[in-house]
Amino acid sequence: MKHTEGLEWAIHSCSLLAMVPTDFPLPARLLAEFYDLPEPYLAKQMQKLSVAGIVETRRGPQGGYALARQATEITLLQIVEAIDGAERHFVCTEIRRCGPTGVEDRFYTRPCGIARSMWRAEAAWRKELAAVKLSDIQKLGEDETPAEQAAKAIAWFQGKLQKG
Amino acid sequence: MKHTEGLEWAIHSCSLLAMVPTDFPLPARLLAEFYDLPEPYLAKQMQKLSVAGIVETRRGPQGGYALARQATEITLLQIVEAIDGAERHFVCTEIRRCGPTGVEDRFYTRPCGIARSMWRAEAAWRKELAAVKLSDIQKLGEDETPAEQAAKAIAWFQGKLQKG
DNA sequence: GGGCATTTACTCGGATATGATGTGTCCGAGTCACGGGGG
DNA sequence: CCCCCGTGACTCGGACACATCATATCCGAGTAAATGCCC
């Protein structure tokens, strides 16, 4: 029970994409270099975000990734589910039906109480994540780091793109 | 991001242990046979519960596992953390400090906003699980299955133990 | 000089190895119950 | 007949293979820009 490490990278990358204009795509190569991450694996995470419709891709020179919609329209839950999957964490294999006390399937109309309890907790978790928008993440980031950091980051990307 | 399968077995086993008197230990062999599960692996889960202090063990003939305290004093969260671990699901490696915009460590006094958001969701999840007691699970189980099921299960265990 | 076809370089996307963790299994340590012998 | 000791069977506990998934990587498909050529 642990989130994949790529999830952290994906969220940070989305936060970076939210800083730059939508028509200013960032290639995976630069994102990886910015955070000092293995580039091909980060690209795989971005690919998942692309499949989920969170980011748009643009191929060829001056291409890269850009947010598919405004940062206010992207929730943390959407990013997490894009990377780690949207299926339930707790799977109920209905083992209560096995064993000497199991009865016919038609008697089990509702999921078992254990699964319901686990799923209720998951619902609370999802609700919290769905309440956080990417724009909120960005605002938190601005509060905790010097203000000129964002401008410095954008300048770094622009310099890298023009030089190449 | 998925719970281990052994978690389901552990919760169901605890629910079974809550049905029988505390001085009526159930061996892992019978628990596995009851649910038709691989016995050694279920034993590993029970071992984790034992380390966590949720169940007591009794060796030798007529031995087995029994709840270490009343079902009203055991929460679902305790069981889940005993099996899947109590550490946080989302780990923050502080990649914000890397890259060209990173500054000295002393400027980062608080965890980054991404980690805080993820952890807040986890806290909501834990809160829900902590609110569910093993006795609640048991009551849910009684509501959804015929009343005589519990008695049948206990009779099955008693028969198995006397026969052996 | 302007427009167009070609080339080129750069990007993403899926197929492919490797390592860690969950899954499944086995054998030894410990303990209680039973049975036999002695008092 | 009762008590004690030795034996045995049954239990848990930790050490040991295997499978699956996350991690890390590579090469081909696609595209926009730049270039050179023709008009």
Side-chain angles (χ1 to χ4, degrees):
Chain A
M1 188 60 182
K2 202 167 73 57
H3 285 290
T4 64
E5 192 174 5
L7 175 61
E8 184 187 6
W9 310 347
I11 302 175
H12 275 277
S13 296
C14 285
S15 177
L16 263 182
L17 292 179
M19 287 186 189
V20 302
T22 315
D23 57 347
F24 190 80
L26 299 182
R29 176 176 56 83
L30 287 189
L31 286 174
E33 185 180 352
F34 186 87
Y35 286 128
D36 193 25
L37 300 176
E39 186 246 334
Y41 189 43
L42 175 63
K44 185 186 284 285
Q45 313 304 326
M46 299 308 292
Q47 192 174 341
K48 287 184 183 176
L49 292 177
S50 170
V51 170
I54 295 176
V55 301
E56 297 274 359
T57 67
R58 196 173 153 190
R59 287 181 153 179
Q62 305 296 323
Y65 296 97
L67 291 184
R69 39 187 197 277
Q70 292 296 319
T72 54
E73 300 300 316
I74 297 175
T75 68
L76 190 52
L77 178 63
Q78 291 166 351
I79 300 175
V80 172
E81 290 193 334
I83 302 297
D84 271 2
E87 61 274 3
R88 290 205 168 106
H89 301 161
F90 182 82
V91 290
C92 179
T93 60
E94 291 285 342
I95 64 174
R96 60 175 170 169
R97 305 189 188 184
C98 309
T101 63
V103 292
E104 296 170 38
D105 285 359
R106 62 190 168 86
F107 286 111
Y108 301 104
T109 55
R110 309 177 60 188
C112 79
I114 294 173
R116 288 203 309 258
S117 301
M118 294 296 296
W119 292 341
R120 183 181 307 127
E122 285 184 33
W125 176 77
R126 286 196 168 80
K127 185 180 176 184
E128 285 288 330
L129 289 185
V132 179
K133 297 189 291 255
L134 184 55
S135 51
D136 300 327
I137 295 277
Q138 200 180 358
K139 185 176 288 288
L140 287 176
E142 289 171 359
D143 292 347
E144 67 205 7
T145 52
E148 67 270 19
Q149 294 292 83
K152 245 167 68 175
I154 294 179
W156 182 86
F157 277 109
Q158 284 179 334
K160 277 285 177 177
L161 284 174
Q162 289 172 2
K163 196 190 301 177
Chain B
M1 188 59 183
K2 203 167 73 56
H3 285 290
T4 64
E5 192 173 6
L7 175 62
E8 185 187 6
W9 310 347
I11 302 175
H12 275 277
S13 296
C14 285
S15 178
L16 263 183
L17 292 179
M19 287 187 189
V20 301
T22 315
D23 57 347
F24 191 79
L26 298 182
R29 176 176 57 83
L30 287 189
L31 285 173
E33 185 180 352
F34 186 88
Y35 285 129
D36 194 25
L37 300 175
E39 184 246 333
Y41 190 43
L42 175 63
K44 187 188 284 285
Q45 314 303 327
M46 299 309 293
Q47 192 174 342
K48 287 184 184 176
L49 293 177
S50 169
V51 169
I54 295 175
V55 300
E56 297 274 359
T57 68
R58 196 173 154 191
R59 288 181 153 179
Q62 303 297 324
Y65 295 97
L67 292 185
R69 38 186 198 276
Q70 292 296 319
T72 55
E73 301 299 318
I74 297 176
T75 70
L76 191 52
L77 178 64
Q78 291 166 351
I79 300 176
V80 171
E81 291 193 333
I83 302 297
D84 271 2
E87 61 275 3
R88 289 205 169 106
H89 301 161
F90 182 82
V91 290
C92 179
T93 60
E94 292 285 343
I95 64 174
R96 60 176 169 170
R97 305 189 187 184
C98 309
T101 63
V103 292
E104 296 170 37
D105 285 0
R106 61 189 169 87
F107 287 111
Y108 301 103
T109 53
R110 308 177 60 189
C112 80
I114 294 173
R116 287 203 309 257
S117 301
M118 295 296 295
W119 292 341
R120 184 181 305 128
E122 286 184 32
W125 176 76
R126 285 195 168 80
K127 185 180 176 185
E128 285 287 330
L129 289 185
V132 180
K133 298 188 291 256
L134 184 55
S135 52
D136 300 327
I137 296 277
Q138 199 180 357
K139 185 175 286 288
L140 287 175
E142 289 171 359
D143 292 347
E144 67 203 6
T145 53
E148 68 270 21
Q149 295 291 84
K152 243 167 71 178
I154 293 179
W156 182 86
F157 277 108
Q158 284 178 333
K160 277 286 179 178
L161 284 174
Q162 289 171 3
K163 195 189 305 176

